[in-house]
Short mmCIF file of all heavy atoms in Angstrom, two decimals:
data_model
loop_
_atom_site.label_atom_id
_atom_site.label_comp_id
_atom_site.label_asym_id
_atom_site.label_seq_id
_atom_site.Cartn_x
_atom_site.Cartn_y
_atom_site.Cartn_z
N GLU A 386 -73.84 -12.77 14.92
CA GLU A 386 -73.60 -14.21 14.92
C GLU A 386 -72.28 -14.49 14.22
O GLU A 386 -72.06 -14.01 13.10
CB GLU A 386 -74.74 -14.87 14.12
CG GLU A 386 -75.21 -16.14 14.72
CD GLU A 386 -76.34 -16.72 13.90
OE1 GLU A 386 -77.34 -16.00 13.67
OE2 GLU A 386 -76.19 -17.87 13.48
N GLY A 387 -71.41 -15.20 14.88
CA GLY A 387 -70.11 -15.42 14.26
C GLY A 387 -69.65 -16.86 14.42
O GLY A 387 -70.27 -17.63 15.13
N PRO A 388 -68.57 -17.24 13.75
CA PRO A 388 -67.81 -16.36 12.86
C PRO A 388 -68.40 -16.31 11.45
O PRO A 388 -68.96 -17.30 11.00
CB PRO A 388 -66.43 -17.02 12.84
CG PRO A 388 -66.71 -18.49 13.06
CD PRO A 388 -67.96 -18.57 13.89
N SER A 389 -68.27 -15.17 10.76
CA SER A 389 -68.69 -15.11 9.36
C SER A 389 -67.49 -14.80 8.50
O SER A 389 -66.61 -14.04 8.91
CB SER A 389 -69.68 -13.98 9.07
OG SER A 389 -70.34 -13.51 10.15
N GLN A 390 -67.50 -15.35 7.31
CA GLN A 390 -66.46 -15.00 6.33
C GLN A 390 -66.90 -13.69 5.66
O GLN A 390 -67.85 -13.66 4.90
CB GLN A 390 -66.32 -16.12 5.29
CG GLN A 390 -65.32 -15.81 4.20
CD GLN A 390 -63.91 -15.56 4.75
OE1 GLN A 390 -63.29 -16.47 5.28
NE2 GLN A 390 -63.41 -14.34 4.63
N LEU A 391 -66.24 -12.60 6.00
CA LEU A 391 -66.59 -11.31 5.39
C LEU A 391 -65.93 -11.23 4.02
O LEU A 391 -64.88 -11.83 3.79
CB LEU A 391 -66.12 -10.16 6.28
CG LEU A 391 -66.67 -10.15 7.72
CD1 LEU A 391 -66.07 -8.99 8.50
CD2 LEU A 391 -68.19 -10.06 7.73
N ARG A 392 -66.58 -10.50 3.11
CA ARG A 392 -66.03 -10.31 1.76
C ARG A 392 -65.92 -8.84 1.44
O ARG A 392 -66.83 -8.06 1.75
CB ARG A 392 -66.95 -10.98 0.72
CG ARG A 392 -66.88 -12.50 0.71
CD ARG A 392 -67.94 -13.06 -0.22
NE ARG A 392 -69.28 -12.61 0.14
CZ ARG A 392 -70.03 -13.14 1.10
NH1 ARG A 392 -69.58 -14.17 1.80
NH2 ARG A 392 -71.23 -12.67 1.37
N GLY A 393 -64.83 -8.46 0.80
CA GLY A 393 -64.64 -7.06 0.42
C GLY A 393 -65.69 -6.62 -0.59
O GLY A 393 -66.09 -7.40 -1.45
N THR A 394 -66.17 -5.39 -0.45
CA THR A 394 -67.11 -4.83 -1.40
C THR A 394 -67.01 -3.30 -1.33
O THR A 394 -66.09 -2.78 -0.70
CB THR A 394 -68.55 -5.35 -1.12
OG1 THR A 394 -69.43 -4.82 -2.11
CG2 THR A 394 -69.06 -4.93 0.25
N ARG A 395 -67.97 -2.57 -1.94
CA ARG A 395 -67.92 -1.10 -1.89
C ARG A 395 -68.82 -0.64 -0.74
O ARG A 395 -70.02 -0.97 -0.73
CB ARG A 395 -68.43 -0.55 -3.22
CG ARG A 395 -68.34 0.94 -3.36
CD ARG A 395 -68.76 1.35 -4.76
NE ARG A 395 -67.76 1.02 -5.76
CZ ARG A 395 -66.76 1.84 -6.10
NH1 ARG A 395 -66.65 3.03 -5.55
NH2 ARG A 395 -65.87 1.48 -6.99
N VAL A 396 -68.27 0.06 0.23
CA VAL A 396 -69.03 0.51 1.40
C VAL A 396 -68.65 1.95 1.74
O VAL A 396 -67.70 2.49 1.18
CB VAL A 396 -68.76 -0.41 2.64
CG1 VAL A 396 -69.60 -1.65 2.61
CG2 VAL A 396 -67.29 -0.74 2.76
N LYS A 397 -69.39 2.51 2.71
CA LYS A 397 -69.16 3.92 3.07
C LYS A 397 -68.85 4.06 4.56
O LYS A 397 -69.40 3.30 5.38
CB LYS A 397 -70.43 4.72 2.80
CG LYS A 397 -70.64 5.13 1.36
CD LYS A 397 -71.82 6.10 1.32
CE LYS A 397 -71.95 6.90 0.07
NZ LYS A 397 -71.93 6.30 -1.19
N ALA A 398 -68.04 5.08 4.88
CA ALA A 398 -67.87 5.48 6.29
C ALA A 398 -69.02 6.46 6.57
O ALA A 398 -69.08 7.52 5.97
CB ALA A 398 -66.53 6.18 6.48
N LEU A 399 -69.95 6.08 7.44
CA LEU A 399 -71.14 6.92 7.65
C LEU A 399 -70.96 7.91 8.81
O LEU A 399 -71.69 8.89 8.91
CB LEU A 399 -72.38 6.03 7.86
CG LEU A 399 -72.70 5.19 6.61
CD1 LEU A 399 -73.75 4.13 6.91
CD2 LEU A 399 -73.15 6.06 5.45
N ASP A 400 -70.05 7.65 9.72
CA ASP A 400 -69.59 8.61 10.72
C ASP A 400 -68.20 8.14 11.15
O ASP A 400 -67.71 7.13 10.61
CB ASP A 400 -70.58 8.76 11.91
CG ASP A 400 -70.80 7.46 12.66
OD1 ASP A 400 -69.81 6.88 13.14
OD2 ASP A 400 -71.96 7.02 12.81
N ILE A 401 -67.56 8.83 12.09
CA ILE A 401 -66.16 8.48 12.40
C ILE A 401 -66.04 7.00 12.82
O ILE A 401 -65.25 6.24 12.27
CB ILE A 401 -65.58 9.35 13.55
CG1 ILE A 401 -65.72 10.83 13.23
CG2 ILE A 401 -64.13 8.98 13.82
CD1 ILE A 401 -65.21 11.75 14.35
N ARG A 402 -66.86 6.62 13.80
CA ARG A 402 -66.69 5.26 14.36
C ARG A 402 -67.35 4.19 13.49
O ARG A 402 -66.93 3.04 13.52
CB ARG A 402 -67.20 5.22 15.80
CG ARG A 402 -66.69 6.33 16.70
CD ARG A 402 -65.17 6.40 16.83
NE ARG A 402 -64.76 7.64 17.50
CZ ARG A 402 -63.50 8.01 17.66
NH1 ARG A 402 -62.51 7.28 17.22
NH2 ARG A 402 -63.22 9.15 18.27
N ALA A 403 -68.39 4.58 12.72
CA ALA A 403 -68.96 3.63 11.75
C ALA A 403 -67.90 3.33 10.69
O ALA A 403 -67.76 2.21 10.22
CB ALA A 403 -70.22 4.20 11.11
N GLY A 404 -67.11 4.36 10.33
CA GLY A 404 -66.01 4.18 9.39
C GLY A 404 -64.97 3.24 9.98
O GLY A 404 -64.45 2.34 9.30
N ALA A 405 -64.67 3.42 11.27
CA ALA A 405 -63.68 2.57 11.93
C ALA A 405 -64.16 1.11 11.93
O ALA A 405 -63.37 0.18 11.75
CB ALA A 405 -63.44 3.04 13.37
N ALA A 406 -65.48 0.93 12.10
CA ALA A 406 -66.04 -0.44 12.10
C ALA A 406 -65.77 -1.11 10.76
O ALA A 406 -65.35 -2.27 10.70
CB ALA A 406 -67.55 -0.39 12.35
N VAL A 407 -65.96 -0.37 9.66
CA VAL A 407 -65.76 -0.97 8.35
C VAL A 407 -64.28 -1.25 8.11
O VAL A 407 -63.93 -2.28 7.51
CB VAL A 407 -66.35 -0.06 7.24
CG1 VAL A 407 -66.11 -0.69 5.89
CG2 VAL A 407 -67.83 0.16 7.47
N VAL A 408 -63.40 -0.39 8.60
CA VAL A 408 -61.96 -0.64 8.45
C VAL A 408 -61.60 -1.96 9.14
O VAL A 408 -60.91 -2.82 8.56
CB VAL A 408 -61.12 0.53 9.02
CG1 VAL A 408 -59.65 0.16 9.08
CG2 VAL A 408 -61.33 1.79 8.17
N VAL A 409 -62.08 -2.14 10.37
CA VAL A 409 -61.76 -3.38 11.11
C VAL A 409 -62.30 -4.59 10.34
O VAL A 409 -61.60 -5.60 10.16
CB VAL A 409 -62.36 -3.32 12.56
CG1 VAL A 409 -62.20 -4.66 13.26
CG2 VAL A 409 -61.69 -2.20 13.36
N ALA A 410 -63.53 -4.47 9.85
CA ALA A 410 -64.13 -5.59 9.10
C ALA A 410 -63.34 -5.86 7.82
O ALA A 410 -63.07 -7.02 7.47
CB ALA A 410 -65.59 -5.27 8.77
N ALA A 411 -62.94 -4.80 7.13
CA ALA A 411 -62.24 -4.95 5.85
C ALA A 411 -60.88 -5.62 6.03
O ALA A 411 -60.42 -6.37 5.17
CB ALA A 411 -62.07 -3.59 5.18
N LEU A 412 -60.22 -5.33 7.17
CA LEU A 412 -58.91 -5.95 7.43
C LEU A 412 -59.05 -7.46 7.60
O LEU A 412 -58.13 -8.22 7.32
CB LEU A 412 -58.28 -5.33 8.70
CG LEU A 412 -57.81 -3.88 8.57
CD1 LEU A 412 -57.54 -3.29 9.95
CD2 LEU A 412 -56.56 -3.79 7.68
N ALA A 413 -60.26 -7.89 8.08
CA ALA A 413 -60.49 -9.32 8.31
C ALA A 413 -61.09 -10.01 7.08
O ALA A 413 -61.12 -11.24 7.01
CB ALA A 413 -61.43 -9.48 9.50
N ALA A 414 -61.59 -9.20 6.13
CA ALA A 414 -62.37 -9.78 5.02
C ALA A 414 -61.49 -10.39 3.94
O ALA A 414 -60.31 -10.08 3.82
CB ALA A 414 -63.24 -8.68 4.41
N GLU A 415 -62.13 -11.24 3.14
CA GLU A 415 -61.47 -11.80 1.96
C GLU A 415 -61.60 -10.76 0.84
O GLU A 415 -62.68 -10.20 0.66
CB GLU A 415 -62.28 -13.03 1.56
CG GLU A 415 -61.56 -14.08 0.83
CD GLU A 415 -62.46 -15.32 0.76
OE1 GLU A 415 -63.54 -15.20 0.15
OE2 GLU A 415 -62.08 -16.34 1.35
N GLY A 416 -60.55 -10.50 0.11
CA GLY A 416 -60.65 -9.60 -1.05
C GLY A 416 -60.52 -8.12 -0.68
O GLY A 416 -60.08 -7.78 0.43
N VAL A 417 -60.91 -7.28 -1.64
CA VAL A 417 -60.65 -5.84 -1.52
C VAL A 417 -61.94 -5.09 -1.16
O VAL A 417 -62.98 -5.28 -1.79
CB VAL A 417 -60.08 -5.28 -2.84
CG1 VAL A 417 -59.81 -3.78 -2.73
CG2 VAL A 417 -58.81 -6.02 -3.21
N THR A 418 -61.85 -4.23 -0.14
CA THR A 418 -62.97 -3.35 0.23
C THR A 418 -62.64 -1.95 -0.27
O THR A 418 -61.53 -1.46 -0.05
CB THR A 418 -63.13 -3.31 1.77
OG1 THR A 418 -63.41 -4.64 2.21
CG2 THR A 418 -64.26 -2.38 2.19
N THR A 419 -63.61 -1.30 -0.91
CA THR A 419 -63.47 0.12 -1.26
C THR A 419 -64.30 0.89 -0.25
O THR A 419 -65.51 0.74 -0.20
CB THR A 419 -63.99 0.38 -2.69
OG1 THR A 419 -63.29 -0.50 -3.58
CG2 THR A 419 -63.77 1.83 -3.10
N LEU A 420 -63.61 1.68 0.57
CA LEU A 420 -64.32 2.44 1.61
C LEU A 420 -64.38 3.90 1.19
O LEU A 420 -63.35 4.58 1.10
CB LEU A 420 -63.59 2.26 2.96
CG LEU A 420 -64.13 3.08 4.13
CD1 LEU A 420 -65.60 2.82 4.38
CD2 LEU A 420 -63.34 2.77 5.40
N GLU A 421 -65.61 4.37 0.94
CA GLU A 421 -65.80 5.76 0.49
C GLU A 421 -66.12 6.67 1.67
O GLU A 421 -66.44 6.21 2.76
CB GLU A 421 -66.94 5.81 -0.54
CG GLU A 421 -66.60 5.05 -1.80
CD GLU A 421 -67.77 4.95 -2.75
OE1 GLU A 421 -68.93 5.12 -2.33
OE2 GLU A 421 -67.51 4.68 -3.94
N ASP A 422 -66.08 7.97 1.39
CA ASP A 422 -66.41 9.01 2.40
C ASP A 422 -65.49 8.96 3.61
O ASP A 422 -65.93 9.12 4.76
CB ASP A 422 -67.88 8.89 2.86
CG ASP A 422 -68.85 9.30 1.76
OD1 ASP A 422 -68.37 9.79 0.71
OD2 ASP A 422 -70.06 9.14 1.94
N ILE A 423 -64.20 8.76 3.34
CA ILE A 423 -63.27 8.63 4.47
C ILE A 423 -62.94 9.98 5.12
O ILE A 423 -62.17 10.04 6.07
CB ILE A 423 -61.97 7.88 4.08
CG1 ILE A 423 -61.26 8.59 2.94
CG2 ILE A 423 -62.27 6.44 3.73
CD1 ILE A 423 -59.86 8.03 2.68
N PHE A 424 -63.57 11.07 4.62
CA PHE A 424 -63.39 12.35 5.32
C PHE A 424 -63.87 12.23 6.76
O PHE A 424 -63.38 12.91 7.64
CB PHE A 424 -64.10 13.50 4.57
CG PHE A 424 -65.58 13.32 4.43
CD1 PHE A 424 -66.45 13.74 5.42
CD2 PHE A 424 -66.11 12.71 3.30
CE1 PHE A 424 -67.81 13.57 5.30
CE2 PHE A 424 -67.49 12.53 3.17
CZ PHE A 424 -68.34 12.96 4.18
N HIS A 425 -64.83 11.33 7.01
CA HIS A 425 -65.27 11.12 8.40
C HIS A 425 -64.11 10.59 9.25
O HIS A 425 -63.92 11.02 10.38
CB HIS A 425 -66.40 10.09 8.45
CG HIS A 425 -67.73 10.63 8.01
ND1 HIS A 425 -68.42 11.57 8.72
CD2 HIS A 425 -68.49 10.34 6.93
CE1 HIS A 425 -69.56 11.84 8.11
NE2 HIS A 425 -69.63 11.12 7.01
N LEU A 426 -63.34 9.63 8.69
CA LEU A 426 -62.21 9.07 9.44
C LEU A 426 -61.11 10.10 9.63
O LEU A 426 -60.45 10.14 10.67
CB LEU A 426 -61.67 7.83 8.71
CG LEU A 426 -62.57 6.60 8.85
CD1 LEU A 426 -62.29 5.59 7.76
CD2 LEU A 426 -62.37 5.96 10.23
N ASP A 427 -60.93 10.98 8.62
CA ASP A 427 -59.90 12.03 8.72
C ASP A 427 -60.20 12.98 9.88
O ASP A 427 -59.30 13.63 10.40
CB ASP A 427 -59.83 12.85 7.42
CG ASP A 427 -59.34 12.03 6.25
OD1 ASP A 427 -58.72 10.98 6.49
OD2 ASP A 427 -59.59 12.44 5.10
N ARG A 428 -61.48 13.07 10.28
CA ARG A 428 -61.83 13.95 11.40
C ARG A 428 -61.19 13.46 12.70
O ARG A 428 -60.90 14.27 13.58
CB ARG A 428 -63.35 13.98 11.60
CG ARG A 428 -64.11 14.71 10.52
CD ARG A 428 -65.57 14.85 10.92
NE ARG A 428 -65.68 15.40 12.27
CZ ARG A 428 -66.74 15.27 13.06
NH1 ARG A 428 -67.80 14.63 12.65
NH2 ARG A 428 -66.74 15.78 14.28
N GLY A 429 -61.05 12.13 12.83
CA GLY A 429 -60.68 11.62 14.15
C GLY A 429 -59.46 10.72 14.22
O GLY A 429 -58.99 10.42 15.31
N TYR A 430 -58.97 10.21 13.08
CA TYR A 430 -57.81 9.30 13.12
C TYR A 430 -56.68 9.92 12.31
O TYR A 430 -56.86 10.21 11.12
CB TYR A 430 -58.17 7.93 12.52
CG TYR A 430 -59.15 7.14 13.36
CD1 TYR A 430 -60.52 7.26 13.18
CD2 TYR A 430 -58.69 6.28 14.36
CE1 TYR A 430 -61.42 6.53 13.94
CE2 TYR A 430 -59.58 5.54 15.14
CZ TYR A 430 -60.94 5.68 14.92
OH TYR A 430 -61.83 4.96 15.70
N GLU A 431 -55.52 10.11 12.97
CA GLU A 431 -54.37 10.69 12.28
C GLU A 431 -53.74 9.64 11.38
O GLU A 431 -53.31 8.59 11.88
CB GLU A 431 -53.36 11.15 13.35
CG GLU A 431 -52.12 11.79 12.79
CD GLU A 431 -51.15 12.19 13.90
OE1 GLU A 431 -51.29 13.28 14.45
OE2 GLU A 431 -50.27 11.37 14.22
N ASN A 432 -53.72 9.88 10.08
CA ASN A 432 -53.05 9.01 9.12
C ASN A 432 -53.34 7.52 9.38
O ASN A 432 -52.43 6.72 9.58
CB ASN A 432 -51.53 9.28 9.15
CG ASN A 432 -50.79 8.49 8.09
OD1 ASN A 432 -51.37 8.01 7.13
ND2 ASN A 432 -49.48 8.33 8.28
N LEU A 433 -54.62 7.17 9.36
CA LEU A 433 -55.01 5.79 9.68
C LEU A 433 -54.35 4.78 8.75
O LEU A 433 -53.92 3.70 9.19
CB LEU A 433 -56.54 5.67 9.63
CG LEU A 433 -57.13 4.36 10.09
CD1 LEU A 433 -56.73 4.03 11.53
CD2 LEU A 433 -58.66 4.39 9.98
#
Side-chain angles (χ1 to χ4, degrees):
E386 220 179 305
S389 340
Q390 177 60 66
L391 302 177
R392 286 173 304 278
T394 183
R395 185 175 287 271
V396 278
K397 279 189 164 51
L399 296 169
D400 60 57
I401 305 178
R402 311 302 170 186
V407 179
V408 170
V409 172
L412 290 166
E415 206 169 62
V417 180
T418 299
T419 304
L420 175 56
E421 295 173 340
D422 290 353
I423 59 170
F424 60 87
H425 284 292
L426 285 160
D427 294 341
R428 289 188 51 202
Y430 291 90
E431 181 182 274
N432 184 19
L433 187 58

